[in-house]
Amino acid sequence: MTLLKSESQASMDSADLPEQADVLTWRQMKAGSEKAFECLYDKFFPLLFGYGLRFCAEREAVKDCLQDFFIDLYVRRASLQEVEYVKRYLYTAFRHRIIRKVSGKQPMLELLTSHYHFEVTFSHEQAMIQDQLDGLKQRKLLRAFKNLSSRQKEAVFLRFYENMSYEEIADIMKMKKVKYARTLVYRAISVFRECIKDLDGSLTLYALFL
Amino acid sequence: MDYNHYETNDFVADSYFNRWVKYPDKETNAFWQKWLEERPDKADILAEARSIVAFLNFSVEKASLEEQQEVKAKVMKQLRAGNPSGHQLNVTQRYLAMAATVSLLLIGAYLLWQFVLTQPYQTYTTGFGEWQSIRLPDSTVVKLNANSQLKYKKDWLAHQAREVWLEGEAFFEVVKKPHASDGRFIVHTQQLDVEVLGTTFNVQARHGETQVVLNTGKVKLHQTDPAYDQQDILLEPGEMATVRQHQLVKTQVNPQVYTSWKDNRLFFENESIRNVARRLEDLYGYEVKVAQPEWLDYTFTGSCPSDDISILLTAISESFHLKITLDDQQIRIEQHDNY
């Protein structure tokens, strides 16, 4: 139970320790360490690549964008702020860049808050291996998900795939208050729940411990 | 974590629940099994939440290690070549960029200048612990107390009524203009317009309350809200008018108490500690902390130079046997250690 406590207040994966390590690496990079920069690259390239593909389906374009992003990061290292949360900073900055890249020269503020595309795929879309949901439910949920706004999809993705806390989500998605992130996620969950409820599926206990 | 009041949505959003559904292990299985034994009534909810979390199983394409290395090689190559941006500007572009910067600066300067010129008001502002003496175009002298603002229109016309706007507190020595077609001098505050003909008086407008104390001459008061401006109120020397929530009250006071600040003295006469504290907060920006609320009603008489309030604090401390400490931000009034 002690684990629960610390975990519930921070992000889903109790990320405190790695976060501190990132901050140290960040400082070293700011001080000019190329090694530190490479560390950050190796750690965050795969993460940002997966995230970037949500905004832009072309792998090459995402790679180009990441290339520019990391070059810029190192070139501007001295003028970068001290950060408390490296992951958040990188996600925010990269999100900004890729949205701009994808959408050309539209006004940035509007773009970042609503006018962008965000798509996800589900692992069960390719292979319909499902232990608890029958095909109909599955399709209903998928349709419901596709109907969410980009913003809702992104919040759900950050929460359930990236295991981010509401604070992190609000920060990255430029929300004025943390509670908006929670609201966005909860609204999406309610939509999913309606889908399941409509069907008279009897959900039974046996499904819980497969 | 107390899951007893959790509904489906809460479980779906919960990180520990997610961990169990996505990556069940001995610990999580044991925890949720035990929890279900205690709350068998929640089985349906848990099952529902579980199927939603199971559904939210995203598949994200990974970058191959080759791709990661390939991009990294490009990044490092560019960084080491010292050509970080990758697309250097040619000479023409550089001149264009420079020209653009210069024009932007010029436009900025011009706009700022225009802004200053077209600002219709001349404004004076004092911070905490600051005083300012202002001579208006008609030679009227205004002493602006700390934490206050006074403004007037720049196109001050000789034949029109003289008007100033005040937030905070100021003392006015208004020059008489008997020969002007409109010799009035008007001080506007949020709640009250004070109209005068050559006189000395103090106006304080703070905390939704406006207070006018007349030293000499005569002033006429109008409430700014027309709904309450039934009739003009005239003040005689030694009278104070206070407006709070549209209620205007007249009292007899010793004007010296209210206007001593203009001669760089703070003066209190049978004043509650509450009001003394408020005065110190208004004028110096201190936060006054009082350990016992009943001390706020103690009354105090005394004065001190306005640039050295430690004298005042010592006097209060000795009168009531209280310990008073002063630092940059706070004045703390506490029980003496040896009491």
Side-chain angles (χ1 to χ4, degrees):
Chain A
M1 284 305 275
T2 44
L3 196 156
L4 281 174
K5 247 188 190 166
S6 69
E7 194 217 24
S8 61
Q9 9 168 283
S11 53
M12 279 193 176
D13 54 354
S14 47
D16 286 23
L17 270 179
E19 190 59 69
Q20 279 172 14
D22 286 346
V23 170
L24 281 180
T25 316
W26 180 265
R27 278 198 203 130
Q28 286 164 355
M29 179 194 72
K30 270 177 65 63
S33 160
E34 208 175 275
K35 195 119 197 98
F37 170 71
E38 285 185 52
C39 273
L40 288 175
Y41 177 93
D42 291 339
K43 174 165 181 187
F44 286 102
F45 181 90
L47 297 174
L48 293 173
F49 181 76
Y51 185 46
L53 279 172
R54 306 301 112 226
F55 297 95
C56 169
E58 293 166 52
R59 290 177 89 91
E60 288 308 312
V62 176
K63 283 197 287 185
D64 280 355
C65 193
L66 273 166
Q67 182 182 331
D68 290 347
F69 176 73
F70 277 107
I71 290 172
D72 239 33
L73 188 71
Y74 192 70
V75 169
R76 295 190 302 117
R77 64 186 182 278
S79 58
L80 292 175
Q81 48 190 324
E82 285 285 343
V83 294
E84 220 177 323
Y85 305 102
V86 175
K87 185 175 179 187
R88 251 188 249 191
Y89 177 87
L90 292 175
Y91 270 70
T92 309
F94 179 63
R95 177 181 190 267
H96 194 274
R97 187 178 276 253
I98 192 141
I99 289 178
R100 186 162 51 193
K101 182 175 176 117
V102 169
S103 40
K105 288 182 174 148
Q106 293 174 43
M108 207 52 211
L109 199 68
E110 268 178 40
L111 267 178
L112 285 178
T113 46
S114 54
H115 298 247
Y116 61 90
H117 293 286
F118 194 91
E119 288 308 331
V120 292
T121 44
F122 293 90
S123 42
H124 34 77
E125 264 177 311
Q126 295 102 342
M128 280 283 219
I129 322 159
Q130 264 297 310
D131 43 10
Q132 305 147 61
L133 290 173
D134 58 42
L136 182 58
K137 256 180 219 163
Q138 171 97 8
R139 278 195 297 278
K140 282 201 90 167
L141 277 171
L142 267 177
R143 206 177 313 130
F145 191 91
K146 303 249 142 131
N147 284 335
L148 295 179
S149 69
S150 286
R151 219 166 153 67
Q152 263 178 319
K153 285 180 197 165
E154 189 180 3
V156 170
F157 178 81
L158 292 177
R159 179 80 185 153
F160 290 93
Y161 181 78
E162 303 276 8
N163 293 332
M164 283 183 180
S165 67
Y166 296 119
E167 265 175 33
E168 288 175 296
I169 297 172
D171 228 16
I172 290 168
M173 293 181 66
K174 303 252 179 273
M175 297 178 190
K176 288 202 184 81
K177 288 184 179 159
V178 173
K179 68 173 182 191
Y180 297 159
R182 189 177 184 276
T183 310
L184 216 52
V185 170
Y186 263 71
R187 274 208 202 117
I189 296 174
S190 295
V191 171
F192 302 146
R193 216 182 135 195
E194 284 305 305
C195 285
I196 299 194
K197 253 203 224 152
D198 287 355
L199 302 161
D200 190 28
S202 56
L203 294 151
T204 41
L205 193 53
Y206 78 87
L208 288 167
F209 298 98
L210 279 170
Chain B
M1 173 90 37
D2 181 9
Y3 287 110
N4 282 320
H5 301 289
Y6 268 46
E7 293 303 326
T8 307
N9 291 4
D10 304 312
F11 283 117
V12 174
D14 183 74
S15 19
Y16 193 64
F17 184 78
N18 265 263
R19 195 176 125 191
W20 173 52
V21 176
K22 289 181 193 155
Y23 319 103
D25 56 20
K26 246 181 158 174
E27 183 210 322
T28 48
N29 269 333
F31 176 84
W32 288 104
Q33 214 147 13
K34 183 162 174 285
W35 191 82
L36 255 180
E37 276 163 25
E38 284 163 19
R39 296 298 308 265
D41 55 311
K42 293 274 189 179
D44 282 353
I45 286 182
L46 224 57
E48 193 181 31
R50 198 189 153 100
S51 48
I52 294 176
V53 170
F55 163 74
L56 291 171
N57 188 4
F58 299 105
S59 123
V60 172
E61 307 88 319
K62 303 269 187 302
S64 69
L65 210 56
E66 289 77 45
E67 283 175 307
Q68 182 169 343
Q69 291 310 324
E70 170 207 323
V71 175
K72 186 172 176 181
K74 284 187 197 165
V75 168
M76 299 317 284
K77 194 178 155 207
Q78 278 201 30
L79 287 180
R80 285 180 185 139
N83 175 18
S85 68
H87 21 69
Q88 202 169 31
L89 302 176
N90 63 34
V91 180
T92 329
Q93 280 173 327
R94 261 192 241 174
Y95 275 117
L96 278 176
M98 241 159 26
T101 315
V102 172
S103 348
L104 273 179
L105 280 174
L106 286 176
I107 292 170
Y110 174 76
L111 288 178
L112 187 67
W113 181 240
Q114 282 299 308
F115 177 75
V116 171
L117 278 187
T118 52
Q119 266 292 322
Y121 291 102
Q122 175 73 45
T123 306
Y124 297 91
T125 309
T126 51
F128 289 122
E130 278 175 17
W131 292 264
Q132 199 176 356
S133 193
I134 302 156
R135 185 176 286 271
L136 299 181
D138 67 333
S139 298
T140 288
V141 175
V142 183
K143 285 209 170 173
L144 197 56
N145 206 345
N147 183 23
S148 303
Q149 186 183 71
L150 180 88
K151 60 184 187 179
Y152 60 84
K153 281 191 182 142
K154 276 183 181 161
D155 53 347
W156 182 283
L157 297 171
H159 60 276
Q160 283 183 355
R162 297 159 289 172
E163 291 177 285
V164 297
W165 284 261
L166 174 73
E167 282 168 46
E169 182 170 13
F171 183 83
F172 295 88
E173 281 173 53
V174 177
V175 172
K176 270 190 192 168
K177 284 222 162 174
H179 304 300
S181 55
D182 187 346
R184 291 179 301 160
F185 186 100
I186 303 167
V187 182
H188 301 280
T189 70
Q190 205 192 348
Q191 297 155 306
L192 208 60
D193 292 339
V194 185
E195 183 186 317
V196 300
L197 299 154
T199 177
T200 56
F201 63 102
N202 191 69
V203 181
Q204 191 188 158
R206 295 190 202 273
H207 311 295
E209 179 180 306
T210 299
Q211 199 189 66
V212 182
V213 176
L214 186 64
N215 290 36
T216 62
K218 233 176 209 170
V219 299
K220 199 154 66 166
L221 310 175
H222 318 274
Q223 295 214 39
T224 50
D225 188 335
Y228 294 90
D229 187 25
Q230 272 89 10
Q231 59 187 61
D232 293 347
I233 306 286
L234 282 173
L235 276 194
E236 299 289 335
E239 281 185 331
M240 170 168 87
T242 310
V243 182
R244 179 191 267 161
Q245 289 169 341
H246 305 297
Q247 293 293 316
L248 195 151
V249 181
K250 259 206 301 194
T251 39
Q252 282 291 335
V253 295
N254 173 4
Q256 210 213 326
V257 174
Y258 291 88
T259 58
S260 58
W261 65 266
K262 74 181 171 66
D263 304 315
N264 306 320
R265 283 201 83 76
L266 282 183
F267 198 101
F268 298 101
E269 193 178 59
N270 290 323
E271 199 63 85
S272 65
I273 295 299
R274 177 178 290 106
N275 286 344
V276 174
R278 191 154 105 171
R279 194 88 174 133
L280 295 176
E281 290 183 339
D282 286 343
L283 299 185
Y284 301 93
Y286 288 114
E287 187 191 359
V288 181
K289 295 215 157 172
V290 179
Q292 305 278 349
E294 62 264 27
W295 298 342
L296 290 170
D297 295 316
Y298 290 176
T299 58
F300 173 79
T301 299
S303 82
C304 76
S306 46
D307 56 0
D308 188 4
I309 62 162
S310 66
I311 295 175
L312 174 76
L313 297 180
T314 309
I316 296 176
S317 154
E318 281 171 5
S319 319
F320 305 110
H321 303 291
L322 293 171
K323 184 175 134 190
I324 302 185
T325 41
L326 169 74
D327 65 29
D328 287 349
Q329 308 288 331
Q330 275 192 352
I331 296 171
R332 308 173 69 89
I333 308 184
E334 294 157 305
Q335 196 74 255
H336 246 306
D337 296 335
N338 46 358
Y339 275 83

